[in-house]
Amino acid sequence: MHLTSILATSALCALGLVALPAFANEPGNLMKVTSTMKMQVPGMSMPARTQTHQVCTSVKKPDPRDMLKQQKDCTLSNLVQTADSVSYHMTCTGQMQMDADAHFQLHSDGGMHGTIHSNSHASGQNMVMDMTIDGVRVGSCEYTPKAG
């Protein structure tokens, strides 16, 4: 799996944007999520990339460990969850080797801010990636969890 995909899944799961197994629709939060990714690869100049999209999320408290059901070569450690924050360390082995540290603040208005810092090695290249993620609740939606 591509590094950006792993990190994006990690971030979305930490925020409850990746669904937990369930079978019925439930009330959800419509979120406007903006992520900015900066990559550093030796000998290569890469501009920051920013993306914004809307997503319907669960209102339930997220558990980043659910992400590991999709990531067979990744493990999560040092998970700390409080009422308003989530942080963890993730290590991936296999074709895409990576160590990442993630920290997310959950705001009382339903918004959030997070950062992910990763070091990876693939195809003989070392890479450092820093991602910031900001989410703003823009409304309500009908959330349909994906079957696990």
Side-chain angles (χ1 to χ4, degrees):
M1 181 172 268
H2 194 269
L3 176 63
T4 55
S5 178
I6 292 171
L7 289 178
T9 302
S10 171
L12 295 176
C13 186
L15 302 169
L17 304 181
V18 171
L20 303 176
F23 302 103
N25 292 345
E26 58 189 61
N29 291 323
L30 183 61
M31 301 289 292
K32 178 181 175 185
V33 179
T34 301
S35 61
T36 300
M37 181 175 49
K38 298 176 186 174
M39 296 174 60
Q40 300 170 19
V41 178
M44 202 181 286
S45 176
M46 302 179 84
R49 188 173 117 195
T50 299
Q51 296 180 323
T52 299
H53 59 278
Q54 287 190 349
V55 62
C56 184
T57 69
S58 175
V59 295
K60 297 178 181 176
K61 188 166 183 165
D63 187 341
R65 293 170 290 200
D66 290 317
M67 170 193 65
L68 296 180
K69 295 174 185 172
Q70 306 285 320
Q71 310 294 333
K72 66 178 182 162
D73 294 332
C74 298
T75 58
L76 205 65
S77 61
N78 301 327
L79 173 65
V80 177
Q81 288 183 296
T82 66
D84 63 355
S85 69
V86 177
S87 64
Y88 57 89
H89 179 82
M90 185 171 65
T91 300
C92 298
T93 59
Q95 232 179 354
M96 178 58 72
Q97 299 173 9
M98 177 189 70
D99 284 300
D101 291 298
H103 306 280
F104 297 93
Q105 286 298 126
L106 309 173
H107 303 298
S108 60
D109 63 2
M112 59 78 188
H113 172 78
T115 61
I116 301 174
H117 174 80
S118 71
N119 291 291
S120 63
H121 184 82
S123 304
Q125 288 286 328
N126 290 321
M127 180 172 41
V128 174
M129 185 180 329
D130 288 296
M131 183 182 283
T132 59
I133 301 147
D134 289 288
V136 177
R137 186 178 186 280
V138 293
S140 297
C141 56
E142 192 166 309
Y143 177 72
T144 305
K146 296 176 185 171

